[in-house]
Amino acid sequence: MAHTHESNTKRIWTVFGLLSVITVVEVALGIIKPDFLFKTDLFKMHLLNWIFIILTVVKAYYIMWAFMHLEGEKANLRWSIVAPLVFLIIYLVFILLIEGNYVFDVFQVSQYKWIF
């Protein structure tokens, strides 16, 4: 039985459209910086920054899903790739927030001043 080649043009345009919409939303939020998002804090970080982090993780996940062809794999393989990455991204954000807040507090209350 001969294998027929399927065109993935529709799939490519769908992925392109979705990633483009998310990118346009990120850029628009970065340009506009709505006050209710920029001045609202959640865990000592602006809500707008949390939205950027979440949208970036969604884009990264969808890129892996579509371009690494994870949608066609078994669930165990998908989770063995995605779960460590999600954990490491969350861990990295946590460490950056904790260390960044510490450095900010040190410069605020000590004799050291901002030199950059």
Side-chain angles (χ1 to χ4, degrees):
M1 180 175 244
H3 179 71
T4 59
H5 177 70
E6 291 183 26
S7 175
N8 287 326
T9 305
K10 183 179 178 184
R11 173 93 170 117
I12 292 169
W13 282 108
T14 303
V15 170
F16 173 74
L18 181 66
L19 294 175
S20 296
V21 166
I22 294 173
T23 302
V24 166
V25 168
E26 285 178 332
V27 169
L29 286 174
I31 292 172
I32 297 169
K33 290 186 184 174
D35 283 341
F36 70 95
L37 293 175
F38 189 65
K39 294 182 179 178
T40 305
D41 286 346
L42 178 66
F43 301 118
K44 295 187 176 186
M45 193 168 73
H46 299 302
L47 195 57
L48 185 61
N49 291 347
W50 283 111
I51 291 172
F52 286 144
I53 291 168
I54 291 167
L55 288 176
T56 302
V57 169
V58 167
K59 281 195 324 186
Y61 177 79
Y62 200 74
I63 287 169
M64 286 189 330
W65 184 260
F67 296 120
M68 291 177 63
H69 307 287
L70 290 181
E71 72 263 305
E73 298 296 338
K74 293 184 179 184
N76 291 337
L77 178 63
R78 283 195 307 251
W79 279 109
S80 70
I81 294 171
V82 172
L85 291 175
V86 169
F87 171 75
L88 290 173
I89 289 169
I90 291 170
Y91 181 68
L92 175 66
V93 168
F94 174 76
I95 294 297
L96 288 173
L97 290 176
I98 297 298
E99 292 297 320
N101 191 42
Y102 171 75
V103 169
F104 180 78
D105 288 344
V106 165
F107 281 120
Q108 288 293 93
V109 299
S110 71
Q111 71 271 16
Y112 297 109
K113 297 298 176 203
W114 296 98
I115 58 171
F116 46 89

